[in-house]
Amino acid sequence: MKLHVVSRYAFLLIISIVFIFPLYWMFTGSFKSQVSIWATPPEWFPNQLKLVNYEHIFSTTPAPLWVFNSVFTSLVTVVFVVIFSAMAGYAYAKKKFPGDKVLFIVVIATMMMPTQVTLVPLYIICRELGLIDSYLGVILPAIAFPFGVFIVRQFAKSIPDEIIESARIDGSGEIRMFVTIVLPLLLPALGALSIFAFMHTWNDYLWQLIILQSKEKLTLPLGISTITYSENNVNYGYAMAGASLAAVPMIIFFLLLQRSFIKGITLGSVKG
């Protein structure tokens, strides 16, 4: 094997270790006591696998309910993001209407707006609609996902116009053509979009902190923070155990859509 190939794989291995190590430290730290986490020299692997942190979380908090809240709001958001982004992205890619380019630029411009700028007006709107401390208060603001429109639009531009014209000549209606022809061709892009939308909603800690109030409606990341930062004492064992629990659904969701994600990213890099 040539030297440059060996060096390339060695470099990738080092980079992989650097990126994986925080996850490893978080997972192993969830089995350590507060003292062991700060031990010097560090305990690279727990001397004893203790479930104290997990037992505390499940015995003192409604952790299963928090997991349900996070999974439910994230999955519902993904469904609506995929539907609306697919329709909007297809329209911007294949339909010609007055102001289409200007409107698409406006959509892209919203991606550049800092989240902190929209928090106050968004909270006022949710308060007027009675969405405070509700699932809809978490889901509805996340449905507007301009990045999803951008991904689908770039991918939809690669669909040959001849396919659409042939379906139209055969008498296919707009809705039927979109559902039976366009959507199957967009599946790789929608798979990648689903992962992005799920991760975004799951980790949207700041908005959830503002909109959710009752303990029963908290999401898992937000709920874990309530027991991690209590009485001015930070318990990193609870934090690592909670973060490990929160990572499991994200990893499962990614693995389920891994092929679509890789295919969508790969095709998106050469098409559009």
Side-chain angles (χ1 to χ4, degrees):
M1 187 177 293
K2 295 182 180 180
L3 180 60
H4 72 278
V5 177
V6 176
S7 60
R8 184 183 306 170
Y9 278 101
F11 175 76
L12 292 176
L13 179 61
I14 295 173
I15 295 298
S16 300
I17 293 175
V18 171
F19 278 95
I20 293 175
F21 180 76
L23 297 176
Y24 167 79
W25 188 254
M26 176 190 72
F27 180 72
T28 56
S30 66
F31 296 100
K32 298 177 183 177
S33 64
Q34 184 83 332
V35 176
S36 299
I37 292 175
W38 294 101
T40 305
E43 292 184 9
W44 301 111
F45 188 81
N47 295 326
Q48 293 180 341
L49 295 179
K50 299 180 180 180
L51 299 177
V52 177
N53 296 323
Y54 292 98
E55 292 174 354
H56 178 82
I57 290 176
F58 281 98
S59 62
T60 61
T61 68
L65 181 59
W66 293 346
V67 173
F68 170 79
N69 293 340
S70 291
V71 173
F72 175 77
T73 55
S74 298
L75 289 181
V76 173
T77 301
V78 167
V79 172
F80 283 105
V81 166
V82 167
I83 293 174
F84 294 142
S85 296
M87 293 189 294
Y90 169 70
Y92 281 122
K94 295 299 182 181
K95 301 296 180 181
K96 301 297 180 183
F97 51 90
D100 56 341
K101 291 183 173 57
V102 175
L103 289 175
F104 182 69
I105 292 175
V106 172
V107 172
I108 298 302
T110 60
M111 296 170 56
M112 307 175 189
M113 186 176 299
T115 304
Q116 292 78 5
V117 175
T118 63
L119 289 178
V120 173
L122 188 58
Y123 177 82
I124 294 175
I125 293 174
C126 290
R127 184 189 62 188
E128 296 298 323
L129 294 176
L131 301 179
I132 303 297
D133 197 29
S134 66
Y135 292 136
L136 287 177
V138 177
I139 295 171
L140 290 182
I143 290 176
F145 200 58
F147 182 63
V149 178
F150 173 77
I151 290 179
V152 176
R153 189 251 187 185
Q154 297 304 105
F155 194 90
K157 286 171 66 84
S158 66
I159 298 176
D161 295 332
E162 291 77 9
I163 297 178
I164 299 175
E165 292 300 329
S166 298
R168 188 173 288 114
I169 292 174
D170 291 339
S172 177
E174 194 67 38
I175 296 178
R176 181 182 177 185
M177 180 176 59
F178 177 76
V179 173
T180 61
I181 297 177
V182 176
L183 273 184
L185 296 175
L186 293 177
L187 285 181
L190 297 180
L193 172 60
S194 298
I195 293 179
F196 288 129
F198 187 89
M199 301 295 183
H200 177 266
T201 306
W202 188 277
N203 296 310
D204 193 9
Y205 179 87
L206 183 58
W207 175 246
Q208 295 169 5
L209 180 63
I210 294 173
I211 200 70
L212 298 177
Q213 297 176 352
S214 62
K215 192 173 184 179
E216 292 73 20
K217 292 294 179 62
L218 298 181
T219 57
L220 182 59
L222 191 58
I224 294 299
S225 68
T226 61
I227 63 172
T228 302
Y229 304 96
S230 59
E231 299 179 359
N232 298 323
N233 183 28
V234 180
N235 192 307
Y236 289 98
Y238 300 158
M240 291 183 179
S244 299
L245 289 174
V248 172
M250 291 190 290
I251 294 174
I252 293 175
F253 191 81
F254 176 80
L255 292 177
L256 291 175
L257 297 176
Q258 182 181 13
R259 291 186 178 180
S260 296
F261 176 78
I262 295 175
K263 187 177 181 181
I265 295 298
T266 304
L267 292 178
S269 65
V270 297
K271 292 185 178 182

